[in-house]
């Protein structure tokens, strides 16, 4: 996996994390109290695991992050509602976590719910009955990332700047003349 | 006003080629009619803000026509099409950037124009109706800005649209247009509103606005001293000055467009609230924090209601701001509050509002 693709996946993870945070708040009763975990859809557990892995490195000790993520992965594997999730990939993610490879686990978790960068987020209630078909590898979708505003650049920039300055000076001179 | 005179075309050997051509055109188009007298104070920058707003609108239409050639208003492709405009070459990048800065300039100019008309009491009898048309134009400008914000279809755009949909729900039956019952996606319908409906309405209302300015003449300046009558200038002189100021404006927009192109956010994901609106819309953000999405609706309605009520509340013939202190203080409080809210919102962390009661 190249650095660029890793970056894409991580950014998608961060966005998913924010969504999942909202879901966690919305379903705080069941998700945070650890009650009736088998009733929580696996897709929710997976999204929460993604959120934990993508959002919290550096915020909390690595062991704590791994424990939380492992809990969620375990919950996903035990969930009675596995709609929309490729459980074999979740299992692979669990193995990756055991091998201390959280980045690989994150990617596997994203793939388990068909979350290639740019893919729409699936709400648990909208999860398909069959797991999503995977596009492998994920398509190149650079356009989904944020693009910082950068100057026009090149010779065009110099020409346009010269035109801009000329227009300002010309306009000011004309204003004085017209008055 | 004197009756228009019919000029018979007479060959004049002494006249220059330019004058002969001008006479020929004028005979057919009556351009001499533009030389009607206006007071000298109309040539000041403060009295050119409305004209500059109109010029900016024309620039927005011109750059917008270019952008529509490459923009795809389908939600699936909109983000990518904007990205292609930016990355495919310097022309698209520059035009989009110019469109962005032009929109900012239009918002600032229309705000300053409203403020100038208010401070100089130019809305007073018999110009109350024209003030109301001006407020409508400010509203259309705000809608053009908002719909333009949605067009770029990044995370910020989607969140703006989701707020819009929530407000539509608050409006009940009146918000039906924002519901998903139509066959065409809301983004596509907003695109039509942005490029056709609102520019059409703007053109119609601005035509009425200008017609009334001509019909009712320029309001006298409240700041003029002395008993002597104010000197008169032809309107064409005002047009010439406006053209010169437009060159300065285009120059500034060009430099901004080159040096400070706007960023383009990530592809939108539904259900997230992780961005803030652009600064002209930022003043409602803290209000949302306090009262939820409904705050956007009520705060916006309150501002426009206040603007509509101005000529009905400030009815004295007095125009000088010093002799209208209560109105000046009230307006000052509103302006400072809005600016304060913008600054406050800028330093506040991002918060989630949709779903707040």
């Amino acid at each position: 996996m190249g650095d660029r693709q890793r970056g894409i996946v991580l950014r998608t993870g961060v966005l998913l994390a924010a969504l999942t945070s909202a879901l966690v708040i919305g379903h705080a009763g069941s998700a945070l109290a650890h009650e009736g975990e088998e009733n929580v859809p696996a897709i929710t557990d997976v999204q929460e695991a993604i959120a934990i892995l993508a959002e919290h490195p550096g915020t909390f000790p690595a062991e704590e992050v791994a424990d939380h993520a492992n809990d969620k992965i375990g919950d996903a594997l035990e969930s009675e509602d596995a709609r929309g999730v490729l459980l074999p990939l979740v299992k692979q993610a669990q193995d990756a976590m055991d091998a201390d490879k959280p980045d690989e686990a994150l990617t596997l978790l994203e793939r388990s719910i068909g979350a290639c960068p740019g893919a729409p987020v699936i709400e648990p209630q909208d999860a398909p009955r069959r797991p999503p078909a995977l596009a492998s590898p994920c398509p190149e979708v650079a356009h989904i990332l944020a693009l910082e505003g950068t100057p026009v650049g090149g010779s065009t920039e110099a020409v346009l700047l010269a035109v801009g300055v000329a227009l300002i000076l010309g306009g000011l001179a004309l204003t004085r003349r017209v008055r | 006003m004197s009756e228009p005179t019919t000029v018979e075309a007479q060959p004049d050997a002494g006249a220059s080629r330019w004058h002969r051509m001008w006479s020929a055109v004028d005979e057919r188009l009556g351009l001499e009619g533009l030389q009607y007298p206006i007071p000298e104070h109309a040539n000041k920058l403060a009295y050119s803000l409305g004209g500059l707003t109109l010029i900016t609108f024309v620039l927005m239409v011109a750059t917008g026509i270019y952008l529509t050639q490459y923009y795809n208003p389908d939600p699936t492709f909109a983000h990518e099409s904007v990205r292609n405009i930016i990355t495919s070459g310097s022309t698209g990048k520059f035009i989009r950037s110019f469109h962005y800065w032009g929109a900012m300039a239009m918002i600032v100019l229309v705000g300053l124009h409203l403020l100038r008309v208010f401070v100089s009491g130019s809305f007073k009898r018999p110009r109350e109706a024209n003030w109301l048309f001006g407020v409508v134009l400010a509203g259309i400008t705000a809608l053009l800005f908002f719909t333009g914000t949605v067009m770029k279809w990044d995370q910020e755009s989607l969140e703006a649209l989701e707020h819009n949909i929530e407000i539509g729900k608050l409006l009940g039956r009146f918000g039906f247009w924002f519901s998903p019952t139509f066959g065409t996606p809301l983004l596509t319908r907003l695109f039509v509103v942005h490029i056709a409906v609102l520019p059409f309405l703007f053109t119609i209302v601005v035509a009425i606005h200008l017609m009334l300015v001509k019909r009712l003449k320029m309001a006298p300046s409240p700041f003029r001293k002395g008993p002597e009558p104010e000197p008169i200038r032809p309107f064409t002189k005002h047009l010439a000055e406006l053209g010169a100021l437009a060159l300065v404006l285009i120059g500034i927009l060009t430099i901004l467009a080159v040096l400070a192109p706007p960023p383009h956010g990530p592809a939108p994901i539904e259900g997230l609230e992780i961005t803030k609106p652009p600064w002209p819309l930022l003043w409602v953000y803290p209000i949302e924090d306090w009262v939820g999405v409904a705050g956007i609706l009520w705060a916006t309605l309150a501002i426009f209601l206040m603007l509509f009520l101005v000529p009905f509340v400030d009815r004295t013939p007095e125009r000088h701001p010093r002799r209208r202190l209560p109105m000046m203080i009230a307006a000052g409080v509103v302006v400072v509050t809005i600016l304060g809210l913008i600054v406050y919102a800028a330093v506040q962390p991002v918060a989630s509002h949709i779903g707040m009661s």
Side-chain angles (χ1 to χ4, degrees), chain B:
Chain B
M1 223 167 99
S2 60
E3 290 292 317
T5 52
T6 307
V7 181
E8 291 292 331
Q10 297 290 336
D12 183 355
S16 69
R17 197 174 185 181
W18 164 250
H19 276 99
R20 285 203 305 274
M21 196 169 78
W22 171 256
S23 297
V25 173
D26 182 44
E27 183 187 359
R28 287 155 182 89
L29 298 180
L31 295 177
E32 287 287 332
L34 288 173
Q35 293 206 331
Y36 61 86
I38 59 169
E40 190 179 41
H41 72 264
N43 276 345
K44 290 180 177 169
L45 175 62
Y47 284 79
S48 302
L49 294 168
L52 287 174
T53 308
L54 179 56
I55 287 168
T56 313
F57 171 73
V58 173
L59 293 171
M60 293 294 90
V61 171
T63 49
I65 287 171
Y66 176 89
L67 293 172
T68 53
Q69 309 307 307
Y70 301 97
Y71 178 70
N72 187 337
D74 185 311
T76 311
F77 306 107
H79 186 269
E80 190 172 359
S81 70
V82 174
R83 191 58 61 90
N84 286 339
I85 289 171
I86 299 169
T87 55
S88 59
S90 51
T91 308
K93 187 176 191 176
F94 172 72
I95 298 285
R96 187 218 171 212
S97 186
F98 193 98
H99 197 75
Y100 168 87
W101 282 109
M104 295 291 180
M106 198 167 160
I107 287 282
V108 171
L109 286 168
V110 84
L112 291 175
H113 178 56
L114 262 177
L115 213 55
R116 196 282 298 163
V117 173
F118 176 82
V119 170
S120 61
S122 303
F123 60 86
K124 298 208 166 197
R125 188 179 176 186
R127 298 176 183 83
E128 299 98 323
N130 215 14
W131 166 268
L132 298 182
F133 281 116
V135 173
V136 170
L137 283 170
I140 295 172
T141 305
L143 288 174
L144 277 166
F145 186 87
F146 173 77
T147 50
T149 299
V150 175
M151 289 306 111
K152 61 193 167 72
W153 204 235
D154 56 7
Q155 187 60 36
E156 180 192 294
S157 308
L158 179 62
E159 290 179 33
L161 191 64
E162 285 173 339
H163 281 72
N164 192 336
I165 291 167
E166 288 299 309
I167 291 170
K169 288 177 188 168
L170 289 173
L171 291 171
R173 285 184 182 178
F174 296 106
F176 75 99
W177 193 80
F178 299 105
S179 73
T181 52
F182 295 86
T184 308
L186 184 52
L187 174 68
T188 314
R189 286 184 283 131
L190 277 178
F191 175 68
V192 174
V193 169
H194 183 70
I195 68 158
V197 178
L198 291 174
F200 174 75
L201 288 176
F202 190 96
T203 306
I204 296 288
V205 180
V206 91
I208 298 169
H209 194 61
L210 293 175
M211 193 189 73
L212 283 174
V213 170
K214 168 83 164 57
R215 176 86 177 83
L216 301 169
K217 298 187 172 59
M218 298 286 293
S221 169
F223 304 105
R224 182 159 180 79
K225 292 169 185 168
E228 308 86 32
E230 188 174 1
I232 295 297
R233 298 275 183 271
F235 179 67
T236 44
K237 194 151 182 127
H238 179 63
L239 284 182
E241 169 138 359
L242 199 56
L245 288 172
L247 291 181
V248 177
L249 176 70
I250 295 169
I252 292 170
L253 293 178
T254 301
I255 290 174
L256 284 170
V258 171
L259 294 181
H264 187 222
I269 294 180
E270 284 182 39
L272 300 184
E273 275 193 84
I274 54 173
T275 68
K276 291 180 189 175
W279 71 263
L281 305 173
L282 204 52
W283 63 279
V284 290
Y285 199 75
I287 299 172
E288 268 192 280
D289 276 344
W290 300 323
V291 297
V293 177
I296 300 176
L297 179 64
W298 299 125
T300 309
L301 286 178
I303 290 290
F304 277 94
L305 182 66
M306 278 192 276
L307 288 171
F308 269 109
L309 287 177
V310 161
F312 305 104
V313 175
D314 190 1
R315 298 178 65 182
T316 63
E318 189 55 68
R319 294 181 196 278
H320 199 289
R322 270 194 209 149
R323 290 185 280 274
R324 296 160 50 223
L325 266 185
M327 288 302 290
M328 289 298 114
I329 291 170
V333 167
V334 172
V335 171
V336 169
T337 304
I338 289 175
L339 295 177
L341 285 171
I342 289 174
V343 174
Y344 176 72
V347 298
Q348 281 293 99
V350 175
S352 184
H353 300 119
I354 292 177
M356 278 176 74
S357 56

Side-chain angles (χ1 to χ4, degrees), chain A residues 19 143-145 147 150 178-179, chain B residues 79 83 93 241 261 264 267:
Chain A
L19 171 65
H143 71 86
I144 70 157
L145 304 177
L147 181 73
T150 49
V178 170
R179 278 181 184 158
Chain B
H79 186 269
R83 191 58 61 90
K93 187 176 191 176
E241 169 138 359
H264 187 222

Side-chain angles (χ1 to χ4, degrees), chain A residues 92-167:
Chain A
Q92 284 183 38
Q94 193 176 43
D95 295 341
M97 288 301 293
D98 291 342
D100 199 20
K101 294 177 179 173
D103 286 352
E104 191 179 320
L106 179 61
T107 306
L108 287 163
L109 288 169
E110 288 182 319
R111 305 300 305 280
S112 77
I113 56 171
C116 270
V121 172
I122 303 162
E123 299 291 344
Q125 66 270 20
D126 300 329
R129 292 207 169 274
R130 289 182 181 178
L134 288 177
S136 184
C138 278
E140 193 71 24
V141 279
H143 71 86
I144 70 157
L145 304 177
L147 181 73
E148 290 301 314
T150 49
V152 169
S155 56
T156 312
E157 180 173 317
V159 171
L160 286 171
L161 284 176
V163 169
V165 171
L167 285 170

